[in-house]
Amino acid sequence: MVLGGSEYEREISTIAPRLNISVAKAKRKAERTFYQMAANPLRPIYLSLAFLAKVIIHQLFSYVRVSGLDKLEAAALQHPVVIIPAHRSHLDYILLGSLFYEARLNTPLVAAGVNLSFWPIGFFLRSAGAYFIKRDAARDHIHSLVLKRYVTYLIKAG
């Protein structure tokens, strides 16, 4: 769904000449980009990381106060939800993922810098729902196209 359809064909056909490559080569690059980018949540890994997150949170904080989760849950039943934390630290998405998991809500997929995609960290992050993006995505037309289509797919899928 991300790398198909008439709109994708039109967009990739427009990008290929700008990059002085064939459409077939642009499609192969888009496919590689997608597989380097996409999250691949794995339940056993996620369960292990959720337990680890809970331990870390309890070690760092005496308590965590949660408010508004009921409103978020109601909104999530009606519409796709995009959460944009301040990202003052990596604890933002760890806390959110842990809270959502405990509340039995779909855990969020998280945009992560491609610099975090190295082994073994990248494997664990991808398995917990991270997808990897270039910080300068606007300069890479194929990465930008795949990112736009992937995020659009994720939002439509809820």
Side-chain angles (χ1 to χ4, degrees):
M1 293 182 75
V2 174
L3 302 178
S6 58
E7 184 180 327
Y8 170 74
E9 293 293 333
R10 188 178 68 254
E11 291 178 273
I12 203 79
S13 295
T14 302
I15 290 172
R18 282 193 243 152
L19 300 176
N20 292 321
I21 60 175
S22 68
V23 171
K25 187 172 182 178
K27 286 181 179 182
R28 285 192 303 274
K29 185 173 180 185
E31 188 173 331
R32 276 193 314 274
T33 298
F34 175 74
Y35 286 108
Q36 290 168 350
M37 176 187 297
N40 185 25
L42 300 172
R43 185 173 170 77
I45 300 291
Y46 195 88
L47 292 175
S48 301
L49 292 175
F51 174 77
L52 181 60
K54 193 171 189 174
V55 170
I56 290 170
I57 290 166
H58 288 306
Q59 290 294 315
L60 293 175
F61 304 105
S62 55
Y63 72 95
V64 174
R65 187 184 77 204
V66 178
S67 62
L69 198 56
D70 54 332
K71 292 178 185 174
L72 177 70
E73 187 175 1
L77 290 172
Q78 300 295 320
H79 309 282
V81 175
V82 176
I83 299 166
I84 306 173
H87 190 47
R88 297 187 190 270
S89 73
H90 290 287
L91 283 176
D92 292 348
Y93 56 84
I94 293 171
L95 271 169
L96 285 171
S98 180
L99 291 170
F100 279 41
Y101 178 77
E102 288 179 9
R104 300 191 187 285
L105 295 171
N106 284 342
T107 53
L109 294 183
V110 177
V114 73
N115 61 309
L116 295 174
S117 67
F118 63 92
W119 175 260
I121 301 298
F123 169 77
F124 288 106
L125 291 175
R126 186 182 311 276
S127 298
Y131 60 95
F132 299 101
I133 61 172
K134 292 181 177 181
R135 298 198 186 276
D136 62 346
R139 294 183 190 173
D140 183 336
H141 297 293
I142 290 179
H143 185 88
S144 184
L145 170 65
V146 172
L147 177 60
K148 177 187 82 168
R149 292 185 58 84
Y150 183 55
V151 170
T152 299
Y153 164 77
L154 292 174
I155 290 170
K156 285 180 180 178

